[in-house]
Amino acid sequence: MPDLKFSDAEPDDHERALVDALVEQPPVVRQSERVVLGGIRRAGDARHLLLPGLHDLNASRGWISPGGLNYLAESLQVPPAEAFGVASFYDLFELEEPDMPGPRHHVCVDASCALADASGYAQQLRAEGKNVHEGPCLGQCENAPALFIQARSSDPVDMASTGETEQKFNATLANRLLRRFGLVDPQSLRSYREHGGYQALKTAIEVGQEEIIRLVTESGLTGRGGAAFPTGRKWRTVANHDHRQKYVVANADESEPGTFKDRMIIENDPFALIEAMTIAGFATGCTKGWIYIRGEYSTATKRLRSAIEQAYQAGLLGANVHDGAFTFDIELRQGAGAYICGEETALFNSIEGFRGEPRSKPPFPTESGLFGCPTIVNNPETLINVLDIATYGVDVFRSVGTPNSPGTKLFCVSGDVGNPGLYEAAFGLPLHELLEVAGVQIEDVQAVLLGGAAGRFLAPPNLDLPLSFEGTAERGATLGSGAVTVFSKDVDLWSVLVRLAKFFRDESCGQCVPCRIGTTRQHEVLLQIRGTQPNESERVLLSDLSMVMGDSSICGLGHTAASAVQSAFTEGLVGVQT
Amino acid sequence: MSNKSVSLHIDDQLITVPEGTTILEAAQSMNIEIPTLCWAENLTPVNVCRLCVVEAEGARTLIPACSRTCEDGAAVKTNTDRVRENRRMVLELLDSANDLSQSDNLQELISDYGADSDRYTDPVKTTTPPKVEDDLFVRAYERCVLCYKCVEACGDDAQFTFAIAVAGRGFDAKISTEHDVPLPESACVYCGNCIGVCPTNALQFKTEFDMREAANWRPEEQSVTETICSYCGVGCTLELHTQDNQIVKVTSPADHSVTSGHLCVKGRFGWQYVQAPVYRAPSSDSEQSAK
Ligand SMILES: Cc1cc2nc3c(=O)[nH]c(=O)nc-3n(C[C@H](O)[C@H](O)[C@H](O)COP(=O)(O)O)c2cc1C
Ligand code: SF4
Ligand code: SF4
Ligand code: SF4
Ligand code: FES
């Protein structure tokens, strides 16, 4: 360890107590971990406590003071400049004393909320004297316009505005993943067990590790986080590694605009995620799991925290899971407002206490992931599919869906929709059928954005698109995260495009040139040409930007930052003579 | 390092290199030129500028030559239309955002690749006034392309001081001390290693900054004298850059076995005594110590 120099800034008593409490009580495992960061090796015992520490400090005073940051950095032996670099990466952290006291009211201004007059809502809150921040999608698109109140620990909790919202889900098309929604008490392990919970883990232990990996592989389960990678292959690679430490990470950062499925899974059935992760750990020899949950998901976080505690108390997590069968711990981490931290390697950096900048791949997470160890990263929806696969086997799982996209998928339907909410459907269902069930007037549809900001627009002639991986790929579209955002004919699509471009500009981590500057230029150009028929040179400029971001960026954010915009042109939705 | 080797085609020529060799290193050994900006031989590759992208058969996107290692059986092309178009765009984007006038290397590439930043109407630029906080060096971040080199040199690639890091996000990301405090209040030890690696002259000696302000900076008239630093027994090689018989800056060769280009505050900035009015001629003084 180098001799680090810290400043003279002092914390106040409360800040000091918070940091002392955090650093004195290390969570479940404390071990010396070699950190691999883009080839740089660094030892860091406690650095992964930086993010939780920043949360504590920010919640204490509503901002992170120089004294608090300095004391935290010193306690964790993190260079202060780096601690500042990390803190300033996240939207939810303030590094200057806010002009306005009181909780921060985050209002979403992305697509579905914009359709529900989010800016009017923000104005109204401002008029009420609230501290308002307009920002990206909050993952509550079914209850637009969405609000997230970021309170300090000392703020009186306003029950009326943080009260739980109505759970909107619909299991009429398929009912596997939603099976327990609304029936099970999400805060009770006993209730979970009464509804079939922990049967899958029991079966898994009976049939053994190899068999579980075989089942997951043969089921054809693929990732639901956007990249559709075969889950069995990931598990197999990590299982084969004979490394002293391996991890399972549940990626619940869910920040793709229009997506709210993982939040609803965790709010309604949190034990399912815990059980599925435990099976993943058992099957692949990982003794530790991490759940990285979006910082804005307060209800889901509360429920998950309580579920983890109950599972520990019941001996379903910890050193002797299922009467000594194996060891599995779970640690929870909250994000702090950064879409990019959903990218798996950015997520590792974020947990480790570094800036959430994606790493270069290869090496892939299954070789060198969290703390440089072999790591399985899966989306919560991917993971809970494993419960049915373990319990009912491959044939039952594959009995719905298409041969190449077996099983069911959760779709987050919002925007100009009669009944917005979460819909489960077998893969292969034509898009318009999903829309009809969700109460969409098909003849009124101008466009559908499938897959969120990283997805693509579809014009009405494409509404017969089969909702499967192969069906979407054939038409150059993507299911992505399962976000389905509907725009009726009276929507100004230009403003939707400008906002999409702004989203990427705001959310780029800034690491690589094509994305850092390219997303900024794309937004500027769209602002300049909105509402017009772009001329040849403007079209070329946009497609050059699309090329360099798509070809030369480091990660998926840059790779997809122009896809929705480009698709709006190719689908003839904007910029054509009418 | 393993002693296995891998064979691949680079621009249709077969080459065999030890496993772990980067595409850039392999290409350099074949005299194939690949432009770089964030790469340096004395730093760990961060592959952020994307100027060195090349095309590998079977890969969906382009790949960075500076950090990607050679794979057996690979076929890499370093100069296709697609590669050149992407490099042109990277240069264009950089030129649209930063003042690159003090980087000859980038100016040359911009014209070679035909990058045209005039295509953008009112692009936002990085506009931070130069930070002049001491007598030793100046940080003019309007020229900063965020190549991370100074951060690496200050951190675990050389100095282990960690006085500066990247702060903020996206286009607003910048190199900063904690809470952006002035350098003298930070952990900085004034080794000047960040200046030594900066490719755009965003970081420069105060002498150079002042001379440029006075329109008195004339690199074509400068000469470089090699000498060994006299302060301690390590024996770092110094390159004294002089103009009008005055030292204007001090560097060390990046490929030097002792320094890898890095120095400490004494070697980097402690030259004033050489120019003190003594009864010896300053020029013969520096020549003698070079022996
Ligand atoms: C910018 C960006 C954001 C992402 N956000 C998420 C996310 O919020 N949740 C998620 O599961 N995957 C996200 N991903 C994909 C992950 O990198 C990773 O592929 C996924 O978590 C793997 O899980 P799966 O195989 O179960 O889909 C994101 C990728 C990118 C490039
Ligand atoms: S593509 Fe964008 S988000 Fe990804 S590493 Fe580059 S700058 Fe960061
Ligand atoms: S002079 Fe040395 S210590 Fe100071 S910022 Fe530069 S590299 Fe870091
Ligand atoms: S100051 Fe120079 S070395 Fe540092 S990031 Fe900017 S351009 Fe690179
Ligand atoms: S030199 Fe390779 S990415 Fe910068």
Side-chain angles (χ1 to χ4, degrees):
Chain A
M1 254 294 137
D3 280 338
L4 297 174
K5 178 175 179 264
F6 298 91
S7 79
D8 303 329
E10 291 282 342
D12 69 18
D13 291 345
H14 191 231
E15 288 169 328
R16 184 185 299 276
L18 283 171
V19 173
D20 288 347
L22 181 79
V23 179
E24 260 173 30
Q25 292 170 13
V28 198
V29 220
R30 178 134 183 217
Q31 60 191 16
S32 165
E33 282 149 324
R34 290 294 283 173
V35 180
V36 178
L37 175 83
I40 304 169
R41 297 198 148 260
R42 226 177 248 184
D45 253 347
R47 184 159 179 159
H48 67 90
L49 294 173
L50 186 59
L51 184 56
L54 292 171
H55 269 296
D56 287 351
L57 290 174
N58 200 75
S60 160
R61 292 171 70 171
W63 67 295
I64 298 171
S65 71
L69 184 72
N70 188 57
Y71 188 64
L72 177 64
E74 191 172 357
S75 303
L76 299 175
Q77 286 296 298
V78 172
E82 287 192 3
F84 180 77
V86 171
S88 61
F89 191 82
Y90 297 101
D91 286 346
L92 294 187
F93 297 147
E94 288 290 313
L95 287 154
E96 272 160 41
E97 189 162 6
D99 308 331
M100 218 181 207
R104 214 163 160 220
H105 289 62
H106 297 261
V107 175
C108 162
V109 293
D110 272 323
S112 296
C113 289
L115 296 181
D117 191 24
S119 47
Y121 184 44
Q123 230 160 14
Q124 177 203 323
L125 290 170
R126 262 193 208 103
E128 290 168 15
K130 306 246 158 69
N131 175 358
V132 177
H133 174 257
E134 293 175 39
C137 178
L138 293 165
Q140 309 170 32
C141 328
E142 83 284 23
N143 287 313
L147 170 69
F148 160 60
I149 301 178
Q150 188 188 8
R152 291 172 304 188
S153 27
S154 55
D155 287 324
V157 183
D158 177 357
M159 290 317 284
S161 49
T162 58
E164 275 130 37
T165 46
E166 189 196 340
Q167 297 287 348
K168 296 178 182 162
F169 56 88
N170 179 319
T172 54
L173 293 166
N175 189 17
R176 285 182 173 181
L177 306 171
L178 300 181
R179 188 181 298 135
R180 274 181 293 265
F181 277 43
L183 299 174
V184 75
D185 174 0
Q187 322 229 48
S188 157
L189 175 58
R190 186 154 148 210
S191 172
Y192 180 64
R193 285 188 138 140
E194 282 164 9
H195 287 86
Y198 279 104
Q199 278 308 311
L201 178 62
K202 190 160 164 271
T203 313
I205 293 172
E206 279 161 18
V207 300
Q209 303 173 294
E210 271 304 308
E211 179 65 5
I212 287 298
I213 297 179
R214 190 190 65 82
L215 289 172
V216 171
T217 308
E218 288 181 6
S219 71
L221 177 65
T222 55
R224 308 296 197 234
F229 190 84
T231 308
R233 235 198 290 162
K234 252 185 214 182
W235 288 28
R236 162 61 58 211
T237 312
V238 170
N240 285 348
H241 268 292
D242 172 25
H243 201 273
R244 69 184 162 76
Q245 180 74 66
K246 304 189 278 193
Y247 298 107
V248 183
V249 175
N251 182 351
D253 192 44
E254 189 162 76
S255 314
E256 187 63 56
T259 314
F260 46 86
K261 65 193 177 73
D262 299 331
R263 173 180 58 76
M264 289 194 66
I265 290 172
I266 295 170
E267 285 181 355
N268 288 284
D269 201 5
F271 289 100
L273 176 59
I274 296 172
E275 183 184 0
M277 284 179 78
T278 312
I279 294 175
F282 165 73
T284 58
C286 300
T287 53
K288 176 142 192 201
W290 298 75
I291 303 176
Y292 188 94
I293 188 166
R294 234 194 127 160
E296 292 88 341
Y297 282 179
S298 27
T299 305
T301 305
K302 221 166 42 198
R303 295 199 177 158
L304 199 50
R305 194 163 273 148
S306 133
I308 292 171
E309 246 164 58
Q310 292 179 54
Y312 266 107
Q313 275 162 14
L316 295 163
L317 286 176
N320 294 299
V321 176
H322 260 249
D323 303 323
F326 61 101
T327 296
F328 193 69
D329 287 300
I330 290 184
E331 195 164 337
L332 189 62
R333 277 289 183 277
Q334 283 182 275
Y339 168 64
I340 190 57
C341 288
E343 197 283 335
E344 52 198 13
T345 59
L347 186 154
F348 301 151
N349 279 341
S350 178
I351 291 181
E352 292 174 20
F354 291 86
R355 289 165 57 79
E357 294 172 352
R359 301 173 185 171
S360 184
K361 293 188 270 193
F364 291 94
T366 46
E367 304 295 327
S368 171
L370 187 60
F371 301 108
C373 300
T375 304
I376 294 170
V377 189
N378 274 135
N379 176 265
E381 183 189 349
T382 316
L383 285 164
I384 62 167
N385 269 288
V386 170
L387 300 176
D388 270 14
I389 295 171
T391 313
Y392 303 111
V394 168
D395 291 343
V396 173
F397 181 78
R398 298 190 64 103
S399 65
V400 301
T402 70
N404 289 319
S405 309
T408 61
K409 175 83 193 83
L410 296 175
F411 292 100
C412 313
V413 188
S414 72
D416 288 322
V417 178
N419 300 304
L422 187 63
Y423 289 77
E424 182 171 2
F427 278 108
L429 183 81
L431 174 56
H432 67 83
E433 286 186 28
L434 174 66
L435 297 181
E436 276 154 17
V437 176
V440 174
Q441 302 294 319
I442 300 290
E443 44 318 324
D444 244 15
V445 173
Q446 178 182 188
V448 170
L449 178 59
L450 188 60
R456 292 203 168 83
F457 282 100
L458 299 166
N462 272 323
L463 295 186
D464 61 336
L465 176 94
L467 293 168
S468 62
F469 295 116
E470 65 281 8
T472 47
E474 249 167 52
R475 295 204 208 167
T478 164
L479 286 181
S481 58
V484 180
T485 316
V486 183
F487 302 92
S488 68
K489 290 201 166 118
D490 52 16
V491 174
D492 168 24
L493 274 191
W494 275 109
S495 61
V496 177
L497 292 191
V498 167
R499 173 56 210 165
L500 277 170
K502 177 76 164 52
F503 172 81
F504 284 109
R505 175 182 180 166
D506 290 344
E507 297 298 331
S508 163
C509 83
Q511 186 182 198
C512 67
V513 173
C515 172
R516 177 179 75 240
I517 308 179
T519 53
T520 303
R521 297 293 171 253
Q522 173 174 261
H523 180 230
E524 289 171 345
V525 173
L526 286 174
L527 276 173
Q528 286 156 6
I529 67 170
R530 75 189 290 172
T532 69
Q533 289 169 47
N535 61 32
E536 177 65 13
S537 65
E538 289 159 343
R539 290 287 270 267
V540 170
L541 188 52
L542 280 174
S543 86
D544 279 357
L545 289 167
S546 164
M547 170 203 67
V548 73
M549 292 193 283
D551 266 353
S552 298
S553 297
I554 294 180
C555 85
L557 188 149
H559 294 154
T560 56
S563 2
V565 169
Q566 288 293 315
S567 72
F569 287 104
T570 50
E571 287 283 272
L573 293 167
V574 290
V576 283
Q577 202 142 26
T578 43
Chain B
M1 271 273 155
S2 82
N3 44 17
K4 276 207 290 194
S5 58
V6 294
S7 297
L8 71 162
H9 281 90
I10 299 182
D11 292 344
D12 297 321
Q13 299 173 58
L14 185 68
I15 178 169
T16 302
V17 292
E19 196 177 32
T21 306
T22 62
I23 295 171
L24 180 67
E25 288 163 341
Q28 283 170 340
S29 76
M30 301 160 80
N31 288 323
I32 292 173
E33 221 174 284
I34 296 176
T36 61
L37 176 61
C38 65
W39 175 88
E41 62 185 86
N42 55 354
L43 301 172
T44 313
V46 286
N47 56 251
V48 297
C49 77
R50 317 308 276 184
L51 196 51
C52 67
V53 286
V54 295
E55 200 168 343
E57 209 174 81
R60 204 166 35 89
T61 60
L62 301 180
I63 58 171
C66 65
S67 63
R68 192 62 61 84
T69 51
C70 295
E71 277 175 40
D72 205 39
V76 173
K77 299 252 162 108
T78 70
N79 203 17
T80 61
D81 286 347
R82 183 175 169 208
V83 164
R84 291 190 62 87
E85 285 286 279
N86 273 274
R87 290 185 190 151
R88 172 178 65 81
M89 281 305 291
V90 167
L91 291 161
E92 195 171 292
L93 290 174
L94 285 170
D95 198 30
S96 75
N98 294 106
D99 166 16
L100 304 178
S101 60
Q102 294 186 24
S103 170
D104 295 345
N105 179 33
L106 284 174
Q107 288 304 325
E108 216 169 279
L109 287 167
I110 286 167
S111 81
D112 282 0
Y113 280 86
D116 174 17
S117 60
D118 292 339
R119 293 204 288 163
Y120 303 88
T121 316
D122 300 327
V124 291
K125 291 174 174 286
T126 313
T127 47
T128 15
K131 290 177 186 291
V132 186
E133 296 160 344
D134 50 68
D135 295 336
L136 300 182
F137 74 97
V138 173
R139 300 182 289 154
Y141 287 133
E142 62 188 347
R143 284 194 283 278
C144 171
V145 291
L146 228 63
C147 70
Y148 288 60
K149 281 178 168 173
C150 54
V151 176
E152 292 203 291
C154 189
D156 43 18
D157 271 350
Q159 190 56 34
F160 282 91
T161 293
F162 305 97
I164 45 175
V166 181
R169 196 172 75 197
F171 195 84
D172 299 329
K174 57 179 196 294
I175 306 293
S176 177
T177 58
E178 63 275 16
H179 299 278
D180 210 12
V181 299
L183 220 43
E185 289 170 34
S186 78
C188 176
V189 297
Y190 287 92
C191 63
N193 289 331
C194 51
I195 315 174
V197 294
C198 180
T200 60
N201 227 12
L203 309 177
Q204 55 185 260
F205 281 71
K206 180 78 170 13
T207 34
E208 175 173 347
F209 181 79
D210 290 342
M211 289 167 78
R212 281 181 185 270
E213 292 278 282
N216 189 28
W217 180 254
R218 299 186 304 277
E220 59 295 340
E221 294 170 22
Q222 292 169 10
S223 57
V224 179
T225 312
E226 272 207 7
T227 180
I228 306 286
C229 180
S230 57
Y231 277 105
C232 80
V234 173
C236 297
T237 295
L238 304 181
E239 297 165 324
L240 308 177
H241 300 245
T242 50
Q243 178 180 319
D244 299 331
N245 246 345
Q246 293 285 310
I247 299 174
V248 293
K249 67 175 177 184
V250 177
T251 56
S252 182
D255 59 359
H256 188 255
S257 62
V258 176
T259 67
S260 293
H262 306 305
L263 296 170
C264 80
V265 61
K266 290 171 280 188
R268 183 81 66 184
F269 293 109
W271 75 69
Q272 294 308 331
Y273 79 97
V274 179
Q275 296 174 167
V278 287
Y279 294 107
R280 273 176 293 153
S283 55
S284 67
D285 183 89
S286 58
E287 268 161 35
Q288 260 164 24
S289 51
K291 300 260 159 71

